[in-house]
Amino acid sequence: MSAFATAATMALEHRNTGGERRFKAVQGKASPTRNSGQDTHCLELRLLLDRYDKDRSGTLNAKELSDLLENERDDSISPKLARRPTDDEVKCIIRTAAAQNNDAVNICEIDNAIYLWRSYLRNQDIVDALFFVYDTKQKAFLDFHDFKRYLASLNGGLDPQDADVNAILDAVHSNERSIEKIQLTLATTLW
């Protein structure tokens, strides 16, 4: 791996460890024990759902989620980087954040969707640089072999086992056995 790619990967890992709430390992399941902080957070999620669920379905469809991601700003993201996600980005976020393969996120998955979007915005320059290095055919995704090469670079040059690569692809709900830009920060965190 080039010095540039190594530096980019290190910066990506550093940005993702700074107190950010981790993507929920068990998606869509509430914790059996609760405290007042969790209750407050659940209330915040309920208020977000109520504010953006225009069709009152109890979930956020692609347009509703896009509205939420555009309007709910995070102070750690430069206003220059804040923007509305594209339709393809929203589809990827829903596919990755949703525990069920559907076209919407429920209240338990809103956190995951917000995490994916904010993490991507914070790291977009680094993700773009890593895709420049590892997406050699410029497909706008890392196929299994490109992704495995990327993981090997994080692993001191040692190739990861196919089962380990597949486990990460499963965790990010990659039906196509590839990683899109929005999924790379999560996949790096999981590795």
Side-chain angles (χ1 to χ4, degrees):
M1 176 165 61
S2 71
F4 174 75
T6 302
T9 302
M10 288 172 51
L12 178 62
E13 290 171 347
H14 174 72
R15 285 187 189 178
N16 284 336
T17 58
E20 179 72 53
R21 188 173 315 138
R22 294 290 181 238
F23 195 86
K24 293 183 179 113
V26 180
Q27 296 177 329
K29 296 190 178 179
S31 170
T33 60
R34 303 190 66 96
N35 63 37
S36 63
Q38 289 172 316
D39 290 340
T40 302
H41 187 66
C42 288
L43 177 60
E44 291 169 356
L45 292 175
R46 171 56 58 196
L47 291 172
L48 283 174
L49 181 65
D50 290 346
R51 185 177 315 136
Y52 290 99
D53 182 16
K54 301 300 183 198
D55 64 4
R56 299 295 175 228
S57 64
T59 62
L60 298 180
N61 63 34
K63 183 187 180 325
E64 294 165 340
L65 181 61
S66 186
D67 291 344
L68 180 149
L69 296 175
E70 177 184 25
N71 294 319
E72 296 300 319
R73 302 293 166 101
D74 181 353
D75 292 339
S76 70
I77 298 172
S78 163
K80 293 178 185 177
L81 297 177
R83 63 178 174 80
R84 184 175 188 84
T86 66
D87 290 346
D88 286 340
E89 289 169 336
V90 172
K91 287 177 189 174
C92 180
I93 290 169
I94 290 173
R95 188 176 59 254
T96 305
Q100 302 167 341
N101 291 332
N102 57 22
D103 297 328
V105 292
N106 65 35
I107 191 168
C108 298
E109 299 160 344
I110 292 172
D111 244 0
N112 297 341
I114 292 171
Y115 168 79
L116 283 167
W117 181 239
R118 288 179 178 173
S119 178
Y120 176 64
L121 287 179
R122 266 189 228 107
N123 296 292
Q124 188 172 359
D125 55 337
I126 295 169
V127 169
D128 288 344
L130 289 168
F131 264 68
F132 180 79
V133 172
Y134 293 101
D135 181 16
T136 55
K137 296 178 185 168
Q138 299 179 341
K139 304 171 297 288
F141 62 86
L142 300 180
D143 63 25
F144 183 90
H145 298 292
D146 294 336
F147 182 55
K148 186 174 180 177
R149 226 169 22 98
Y150 168 67
L151 292 178
S153 74
L154 299 178
N155 202 31
L158 300 173
D159 280 341
Q161 298 292 317
D162 287 354
D164 294 334
V165 177
N166 281 318
I168 293 175
L169 292 171
D170 289 342
V172 299
H173 297 170
S174 173
N175 298 336
E176 305 300 321
R177 311 319 291 162
S178 61
I179 294 289
E180 295 179 48
K181 287 183 176 186
I182 287 179
Q183 297 170 317
L184 187 62
T185 56
L186 172 60
T188 302
T189 301
L190 293 172
W191 179 249

